Amino acid sequence: MVWLQFVLGVLVILISSLSLVKFNSAGFFFRNEDICRHFYSVKDVYEGFDIKALSARVGEVLDKMESLQDKLELIVQQMEKNKDVMDRSSISRLEYKKFLEEKVIQPLYSAHISLRQIRLPKIEGIRNLTIKEEPLINTFVIEEIRKYITPKENRNGKINIYGTERIYNTIGHACVLMKKELEEYMDYDIGSYCKDDWKLAQKLMINGCDPLPRRRCLTRASKLYQKPYLINESLWKTPEGRNVRWSNYRCKNFECLSSKNPRRGFSKCTGCFEMEKEKIKWVTNPTLPIDFLIKDVLEIKPGEIRIGLDFGIGTGTFAARMREENVTIVSTALNLGAPFSETIALRGLIPLYVTLNQRLPFFDNTMDLIHTTGFMDGWIDLQLMHFILFDWDRILRPGGLLWVDRFFCNRKDLDDYMYMFLQFRYKKHKWVISPKSRDDVFLSALLEKPPRSL
């Protein structure tokens, strides 16, 4: 078995040498002025170049190399220790092939790929030697992420319709903090079926990795998918359960989502999936002054409310009622324990899959109405709420209505939240405060955005 020990020894030397090749070619071992300025300074981040991310990636490659070298040296030591036994034993060609593939070739290939993926900055210009690096490129290992965030040059070399020379794909800044989860999300075979991992995607979004990168795999649908109900019956009929992928929910059908089931898997919007209960919302005479009727709201601006946004958590009932009044409403939705997005779509309405983290994808002064209920309440940080309300103000047109529906908070925090809504100097059409419990209160309001013509 001397020849096997010789082969392993050569591999150890080869691996030790490979880890130096990339950096020698990049000039890491030549202490000229530029290299020292850009790579050996105490700064972590230079203009256009993140040396900290590069250092972390280099560390990953060296760790892989060191781990492989340690394994091979340990195997050589064990072979030397058990020399007599090995001389009497015979290793088949198949066993030897399997050993090389699993213990040597695969780890070496992984380290090799990681080494080749390290992208050193480009030197642009002649006199100023400006270093330019694509943002975040050395942060991630998975090649599909790296391809996605690399700017795409226009094929004809001309300015495109947006007035730029290239297109930049974006990801949320917190993706860097969730590197492991994002790389798991982006680890797939191009053109094949995606994993059933929408829950991982939603976790990334909620934690600030938003927007997510696009993927080049085929999304899965329910194996039992049926045609949705026709538009004249879909609004007020429980959707076909076979059209939902239930694998990531506690419940496996719509019947299980009943408000009577304490193990339904969600706590917000109790009764949202029971259409008989949903039918009475916003149309029957209210028992509390905080509940406004749709017809009363629309009478304030007769014929002027045409499009709007329902920002909350639900199954689209507000949008369904407004459709009956010839008003188009987009409903925000996250699948927080139940198929809210799928249900809205199966009812023939428009779900907008966004988190609180995200700037709304509407242009300035375009919405006639913003309605919010059941989601953004007294748990929310005041500064975050400040940003959100300014974004709502941005998309609401002059003369548009902000309908705050059953906002609740602790009584001692009411003044702070009232200021949040009143700071914009909207005209008050309705403003009602009502007790919810001994410590909490409800606030409902209907406010009109002023013209602000400048």
Side-chain angles (χ1 to χ4, degrees):
M1 303 307 294
V2 176
W3 60 272
L4 181 56
Q5 295 180 36
F6 176 76
V7 170
L8 292 176
V10 171
L11 283 172
V12 170
I13 297 172
L14 177 63
I15 290 166
S16 302
S17 303
L18 278 175
S19 61
L20 306 176
V21 172
K22 184 89 174 184
F23 310 107
N24 180 65
S25 61
F28 271 75
F29 305 117
F30 297 96
R31 293 290 186 116
N32 61 52
E33 181 181 351
D34 296 316
I35 292 298
C36 287
R37 185 177 69 250
H38 294 298
F39 295 106
Y40 294 99
S41 175
V42 295
K43 292 183 179 179
D44 286 333
V45 179
Y46 298 85
E47 183 179 357
F49 174 54
D50 187 352
I51 193 170
K52 195 172 183 179
L54 176 60
S55 176
R57 288 297 311 284
V58 170
E60 284 184 29
V61 175
L62 293 178
D63 287 344
K64 289 181 180 180
M65 292 289 195
E66 184 179 4
S67 175
L68 179 56
Q69 181 172 336
D70 289 344
K71 287 180 181 179
L72 292 176
E73 288 178 346
L74 180 61
I75 292 172
V76 171
Q77 291 172 8
Q78 290 175 342
M79 292 173 66
E80 186 65 30
K81 184 178 179 180
N82 302 318
K83 183 178 179 181
D84 296 337
V85 177
M86 294 197 67
D87 287 340
R88 294 194 299 269
S89 65
S90 60
I91 302 176
S92 68
R93 175 177 291 184
L94 185 61
E95 290 175 326
Y96 180 58
K97 179 174 177 288
K98 184 179 179 181
F99 166 78
L100 288 178
E101 287 177 346
E102 293 181 357
K103 301 297 184 181
V104 180
I105 296 177
Q106 289 180 4
L108 186 58
Y109 176 76
S110 175
H112 176 216
I113 291 300
S114 297
L115 191 62
R116 291 185 66 86
Q117 284 180 341
I118 293 178
R119 190 171 301 179
L120 298 175
K122 302 173 184 177
I123 305 297
E124 293 195 347
I126 298 176
R127 296 180 181 176
N128 57 7
L129 290 178
T130 301
I131 287 189
K132 184 177 180 181
E133 179 198 46
E134 306 301 356
L136 303 182
I137 198 67
N138 284 317
T139 302
F140 300 104
V141 175
I142 298 297
E143 184 65 14
E144 192 71 351
I145 306 178
R146 296 161 62 84
K147 288 179 179 177
Y148 181 81
I149 63 178
T150 300
K152 309 301 183 291
E153 302 282 347
N154 302 336
R155 291 186 64 183
N156 55 12
K158 298 180 181 179
I159 301 298
N160 59 32
I161 192 173
Y162 299 113
T164 64
E165 296 178 347
R166 58 188 65 84
I167 295 293
Y168 288 87
N169 293 322
T170 58
I171 60 174
H173 72 284
C175 294
V176 176
L177 303 177
M178 303 186 72
K179 177 182 173 182
K180 179 181 178 182
E181 291 85 350
L182 183 62
E183 291 185 339
E184 179 184 348
Y185 176 72
M186 293 297 288
D187 189 9
Y188 58 84
D189 295 324
I190 297 174
S192 65
Y193 284 100
C194 304
K195 292 171 285 189
D196 189 10
D197 57 358
W198 68 261
K199 201 168 185 178
L200 173 61
Q202 184 168 279
K203 176 185 176 182
L204 285 162
M205 292 170 61
I206 291 173
N207 286 280
C209 186
D210 186 18
L212 280 174
R214 295 185 178 105
R215 295 202 292 187
R216 296 187 290 177
C217 55
L218 304 173
T219 189
R220 295 175 182 270
S222 170
K223 295 178 181 179
L224 305 173
Y225 198 90
Q226 307 291 305
K227 288 183 180 180
Y229 297 133
L230 299 179
I231 189 61
N232 59 351
E233 60 177 333
S234 65
L235 282 184
W236 300 109
K237 187 173 182 179
T238 301
E240 170 59 65
R242 289 176 292 182
N243 290 349
V244 176
R245 290 169 19 225
W246 294 97
S247 58
N248 286 308
Y249 300 114
R250 178 177 293 179
C251 283
K252 305 304 177 186
N253 53 57
F254 280 108
E255 290 72 26
C256 172
L257 299 173
S258 167
S259 58
K260 297 178 182 179
N261 179 14
R263 297 178 59 82
R264 59 186 176 274
F266 66 100
S267 57
K268 280 283 188 179
C269 201
T270 304
C272 276
F273 294 91
E274 300 165 58
M275 292 301 131
E276 291 303 317
K277 292 182 178 180
E278 292 289 283
K279 275 185 177 181
I280 65 175
K281 291 182 177 179
W282 300 291
V283 293
T284 60
N285 290 326
T287 57
L288 295 174
I290 55 171
D291 295 326
F292 306 156
L293 299 181
I294 283 178
K295 67 179 182 64
D296 295 337
V297 172
L298 295 181
E299 284 175 0
I300 293 174
K301 293 278 185 177
E304 293 185 30
I305 306 301
R306 306 151 301 160
I307 59 173
L309 172 69
D310 182 22
F311 197 101
I313 182 169
T315 54
T317 296
F318 182 79
R321 280 300 179 202
M322 295 297 274
R323 173 181 275 184
E324 295 174 340
E325 303 293 337
N326 294 319
V327 179
T328 301
I329 296 291
V330 175
S331 305
T332 63
L334 285 173
N335 291 339
L336 301 175
F340 291 101
S341 293
E342 299 98 308
T343 302
I344 293 171
L346 289 170
R347 294 178 73 180
L349 304 167
I350 306 171
L352 183 64
Y353 194 58
V354 295
T355 66
L356 280 174
N357 318 335
Q358 194 172 344
R359 183 178 189 265
L360 290 168
F362 303 111
F363 193 64
D364 305 351
N365 304 306
T366 52
M367 293 288 125
D368 299 320
L369 172 72
I370 296 178
H371 172 261
T372 179
T373 186
F375 187 58
M376 196 179 71
D377 295 315
W379 60 269
I380 194 168
D381 175 77
L382 288 173
Q383 190 173 74
L384 173 59
M385 187 175 182
H386 212 204
F387 278 106
I388 292 170
L389 291 178
F390 269 94
D391 198 31
W392 290 1
D393 178 79
R394 176 185 63 81
I395 67 172
L396 193 62
R397 68 166 174 82
L401 299 177
L402 172 60
W403 182 350
V404 181
D405 195 350
R406 282 178 165 255
F407 176 90
F408 71 87
C409 64
N410 192 280
R411 195 181 298 271
K412 65 180 177 61
D413 297 326
L414 181 60
D415 287 345
D416 291 333
Y417 286 110
M418 284 174 56
Y419 170 75
M420 286 289 161
F421 292 114
L422 295 174
Q423 65 181 315
F424 297 97
R425 299 176 184 263
Y426 283 15
K427 178 181 177 180
K428 289 183 185 178
H429 288 287
K430 293 177 181 287
W431 183 274
V432 181
I433 298 173
S434 177
K436 180 178 185 289
S437 64
R438 187 179 68 176
D439 298 323
D440 296 333
V441 293
F442 280 120
L443 166 65
S444 288
L446 188 64
L447 310 171
E448 180 180 337
K449 181 178 174 178
R452 296 200 201 129
S453 301
L454 298 176

